[in-house]
Amino acid sequence: MTQKFEIEMLPVLDTNYAIFIKCSITGKVAMVDAPDDDKIVAFLEARNWRPDLVLVTHRHWDHVDGLEKIKQRYDPIIVVPDSEKDQISPFTETVAPGAILPFGAGHFTVLSTPGHTSGHIAYFLQEQPALFAGDALFSIGCGRMFDGPPNAMWEGLKQLRHLPDETVLYCGHEYTIDNIKFALSLTPEHEALRQHLNWAEERRAQNQPTLPSTLGFEKANNPFLRIDDPVIAQAVGQENAPEHEIFAAVRKAKDQF
Ligand SMILES: [Zn+2]
């Protein structure tokens, strides 16, 4: 069965991924975030693709510094989070969580995923379940909590668990191996993580991505989606603490790992 949307990841800068979504019915092309890397234009030219839409997840330089170049060359609609619009340029539209954006033969829903930055948003493609999580959620990890607060970040991640298990997860960075090593430091007996580490190390040794993942796999194995599992609370010595404090403790342990 041909898929309605063709989704491709391109490694750029040191650890980033630029992500491209092509609607096979209408030929429209969207991209998620715009790192400043000449590889992006080369990738688009090689396929004869022109982006019609750029979906920005948050204000950090490694996600927005390429916007000017993309705008000059292709003049797409550039959508940015409303609460970070003063720190992002150029853009053409702002969105808030809950918005629904038509794209080709489908729609993106805008989800609230604050904490890495306070206005961070993610985009969910409804018709072919795929989550473009930026730096909110990584495979077996989550973004560093620059802005917080912990309860908002945890609530945002918890909402992502409502997405169907088959949702394909695309993230802003290749951090999987470090994330698995940290997760195993919390739960050394977690056999699926051990196997996943072997797999991820083989992939990286061949210079292959460890993404995309799936939400089903992440719900079962990503400690940052399992904050309310007593095993995780115990691992950071926070058995009876409220969930946002457990989340903060796990996030801090990762920062110091
Ligand atoms: Zn970031």
Side-chain angles (χ1 to χ4, degrees):
M1 190 185 80
T2 345
Q3 300 230 286
K4 236 186 216 178
F5 297 92
E6 184 186 337
I7 304 176
E8 297 220 38
M9 289 186 319
L10 175 71
V12 293
L13 305 178
D14 286 341
T15 60
N16 286 74
Y17 286 115
I19 298 155
F20 305 89
I21 305 142
K22 182 171 193 240
C23 173
S24 16
I25 296 165
T26 62
K28 296 258 183 209
V29 174
M31 49 187 285
V32 181
D33 289 333
D36 186 11
D37 192 317
D38 292 338
K39 281 199 267 177
I40 291 179
V41 169
F43 176 95
L44 290 165
E45 299 298 306
R47 283 161 184 74
N48 214 7
W49 289 4
R50 293 183 64 86
D52 305 282
L53 175 66
V54 183
L55 303 168
V56 175
T57 59
H58 68 296
R59 63 177 191 262
H60 283 158
W61 67 272
D62 57 325
H63 298 257
V64 301
D65 276 6
L67 288 174
E68 185 66 54
K69 220 176 272 178
I70 297 290
K71 182 173 167 56
Q72 277 177 17
R73 198 171 181 107
Y74 304 108
D75 199 24
I77 295 168
I78 301 174
V79 173
V80 305
D82 186 54
S83 59
E84 298 192 351
K85 64 174 185 289
D86 294 341
Q87 294 136 296
I88 303 173
S89 160
F91 66 86
T92 65
E93 284 178 29
T94 69
V95 283
I100 293 175
L101 306 171
F103 167 69
H107 300 82
F108 292 102
T109 310
V110 178
L111 304 173
S112 175
T113 49
H116 175 69
T117 65
S118 58
H120 192 296
I121 53 178
Y123 298 89
F124 176 66
L125 177 61
Q126 297 173 11
E127 285 76 8
Q128 185 179 309
L131 176 66
F132 304 92
D135 290 359
L137 179 69
F138 298 126
S139 183
I140 313 298
C142 74
R144 194 174 274 262
M145 189 169 59
F146 289 109
D147 291 357
N151 63 329
M153 189 160 187
W154 165 236
E155 287 305 320
L157 291 174
K158 206 153 66 160
Q159 288 301 315
L160 299 180
R161 296 194 304 199
H162 296 303
L163 299 175
D165 283 356
E166 68 269 23
T167 303
V168 182
L169 172 68
Y170 293 86
C171 321
H173 290 271
E174 175 63 59
Y175 291 153
T176 310
I177 288 180
D178 282 352
N179 289 341
I180 303 173
K181 287 179 177 167
F182 170 69
L184 279 169
S185 77
L186 299 176
T187 55
E189 310 295 318
H190 193 135
E191 184 52 33
L193 282 176
R194 296 216 160 272
Q195 288 176 18
H196 199 55
L197 181 59
N198 290 338
W199 174 84
E201 283 177 336
E202 267 170 43
R203 294 281 297 174
R204 296 308 294 147
Q206 294 159 19
N207 212 18
Q208 295 295 312
T210 61
L211 294 156
S213 182
T214 64
L215 256 287
F217 183 79
E218 298 299 325
K219 288 178 208 176
N221 299 299
N222 186 330
F224 292 97
L225 294 180
R226 300 176 62 217
I227 293 301
D228 45 357
D229 183 330
V231 172
I232 300 297
Q234 206 173 19
V236 288
Q238 299 281 334
E239 282 92 335
N240 297 310
E243 287 175 13
H244 69 274
E245 283 178 20
I246 303 167
F247 177 81
V250 177
R251 189 51 257 180
K252 192 172 168 206
K254 172 68 170 72
D255 293 344
Q256 293 166 348
F257 183 69

